[in-house]
Amino acid sequence: MIAQTLTPTMTESRAADSAISVLDDIGNTPLLDLTPFARSCGASEHVQLYAKAEWANPGGSVKARAAFKIVEEAEADGRLGAGQTLIDSSSGNTAIAYALVGAVRGFPVHLVMPKNVSRERKALVKAYGATLIESDPLEGSDGAIRLVREIVAADPGRYFYADQYNNDANWRAHYEGTGPEIWRQTQGRVTHFVAGLGTTGTFVGAGRFLREQNPAAQLVAVQPEDELSVIEGLKYLPTAITPGIYAPSMVDRHMAVSAETAWDVTQALARTAGLFVGFSSGAAVAAAVQVAKELPHTADGVVVTLLPDDGSKYVSLGLFD
Ligand code: PMP
């Protein structure tokens, strides 16, 4: 009796329809309405702001999309064969996603991360059974890239080097997933797409799809304001190794966000919108709000961004205390 009157959640009703693998749950993330937040920051009543809740992916971040696509394509064409180990460098989220996919698909995963990434990230990778290799913290994510190249060069047959910075499957995951989802969830009304640049896969893939649907869609790329501003997950491209998948000509506007602003907006999202997100989400929303505020007051605008992960992996940094 009681069960019949309860409304199942989306997850419950999907699970009840058929058993699924955790990997089937990648993508189709909710689009959250952040318009009240944008208005409270001074955006006009003609502008809407939306954000994809990417922590809803298995592994807790946007990177499940790219990691799974990279593995699927490599398994399909034989680059990731029986007995081989997947190896890559990652500041954390891709590492966690590879570790999760490897656990499901049954191949070993080796991950190179700068020694100073947060304790939670290292623990999560190990929890999924992957092997962690630490690189020089002073060399950041570029140091991790250099170390993984050395390891692969020493024993090439052993590894599938997933190489998320140069692997087209990375941006294709967003071209086939994130972009079409945004298009559908906004009923084709999106006017501005704002995304942080890490490997650049999200920006390039989703941006490319949205641009094809609407050539007038504005693509806004977000980076830390300088080399010293650390926003985990984002790169300051002028001094970083340029990802091979990056397509700079797609950028209509570059926006620079300070680590302090990213932190301020991250805190404001938790306290005024109930969204406990990571700092790259704070950076993305800071830039998206700025875009929204700069639109002429009579212009309709639908600004869409991403919240790449939630704040739980950053607790040990002490910034939320
Ligand atoms: N934010 C976070 C927290 C990330 O882990 C990443 C991935 N490095 C990004 C943003 C950027 O995503 P992408 O690699 O697709 O550019």
Side-chain angles (χ1 to χ4, degrees), residues 9-241:
T9 64
M10 212 158 73
T11 319
E12 281 165 350
S13 60
R14 180 163 54 184
D17 289 338
S18 60
I20 60 165
S21 156
V22 68
L23 301 179
D24 295 326
D25 221 15
I26 294 171
N28 288 315
T29 54
L31 187 71
L32 301 178
D33 187 358
L34 292 190
T35 305
F37 184 79
R39 301 248 164 97
S40 74
C41 298
S44 93
E45 61 189 28
H46 297 282
V47 181
Q48 288 161 322
L49 175 62
Y50 298 105
K52 295 279 278 174
E54 291 299 305
W55 64 80
N57 287 298
S61 85
V62 66
K63 298 303 308 202
R65 296 175 181 269
F68 185 43
K69 186 83 182 155
I70 285 171
V71 167
E72 261 194 323
E73 290 192 4
E75 282 181 338
D77 65 19
R79 279 171 298 141
L80 175 54
Q84 277 188 307
T85 295
L86 181 151
I87 190 166
D88 209 351
S89 63
S90 160
S91 63
N93 277 327
T94 313
I96 293 162
Y98 285 138
L100 183 153
V101 176
V104 177
R105 291 285 226 245
F107 55 81
V109 174
H110 288 189
L111 299 157
V112 183
M113 282 190 205
K115 195 178 169 66
N116 57 341
V117 306
S118 76
R119 194 148 42 86
E120 294 91 336
R121 288 181 175 214
K122 293 182 193 170
L124 282 164
V125 163
K126 290 185 192 159
Y128 289 114
T131 301
L132 178 61
I133 301 159
E134 292 180 338
S135 60
D136 187 339
L138 298 177
E139 293 184 32
S141 55
D142 285 354
I145 294 174
R146 283 189 286 268
L147 181 56
V148 79
R149 286 179 183 166
E150 282 171 31
I151 294 170
V152 173
D155 194 356
R158 179 176 175 194
Y159 296 107
F160 162 59
Y161 177 21
D163 199 4
Q164 57 164 337
Y165 290 93
N166 297 295
N167 191 326
D168 288 331
N170 179 349
W171 67 260
R172 271 201 290 270
H174 299 284
Y175 181 82
E176 293 170 11
T178 319
E181 289 169 33
I182 291 171
W183 187 251
R184 203 175 56 241
Q185 288 169 312
T186 61
Q187 289 89 41
R189 291 180 307 121
V190 52
T191 57
H192 296 75
F193 175 61
V194 180
L197 299 181
T199 64
T200 75
T202 307
F203 176 84
V204 170
R208 190 164 277 155
F209 179 85
L210 296 172
R211 170 65 51 79
E212 282 175 10
Q213 306 310 306
N214 174 11
Q218 295 293 296
L219 306 180
V220 180
V222 182
Q223 295 178 58
E225 69 176 1
D226 56 35
E227 203 181 348
L228 297 177
S229 303
V230 176
I231 302 173
E232 274 201 65
L234 302 190
K235 270 181 177 261
Y236 179 64
L237 287 178
T239 57
I241 297 175

Side-chain angles (χ1 to χ4, degrees), residues 199-309:
T199 64
T200 75
T202 307
F203 176 84
V204 170
R208 190 164 277 155
F209 179 85
L210 296 172
R211 170 65 51 79
E212 282 175 10
Q213 306 310 306
N214 174 11
Q218 295 293 296
L219 306 180
V220 180
V222 182
Q223 295 178 58
E225 69 176 1
D226 56 35
E227 203 181 348
L228 297 177
S229 303
V230 176
I231 302 173
E232 274 201 65
L234 302 190
K235 270 181 177 261
Y236 179 64
L237 287 178
T239 57
I241 297 175
T242 305
I245 60 170
Y246 185 38
S249 63
M250 285 175 53
V251 182
D252 291 304
R253 179 177 182 187
H254 283 285
M255 294 188 76
V257 176
S258 70
E260 197 184 353
T261 298
W263 156 238
D264 286 345
V265 175
T266 301
Q267 188 178 48
L269 283 168
R271 295 186 176 185
T272 67
L275 297 172
F276 181 51
V277 291
F279 299 112
S280 73
S281 301
V285 172
V289 165
Q290 186 68 25
V291 167
K293 281 167 71 172
E294 286 175 13
L295 284 171
H297 266 225
T298 49
D300 288 330
V302 176
V303 182
V304 177
T305 191
L306 272 90
L307 307 172
D309 62 3

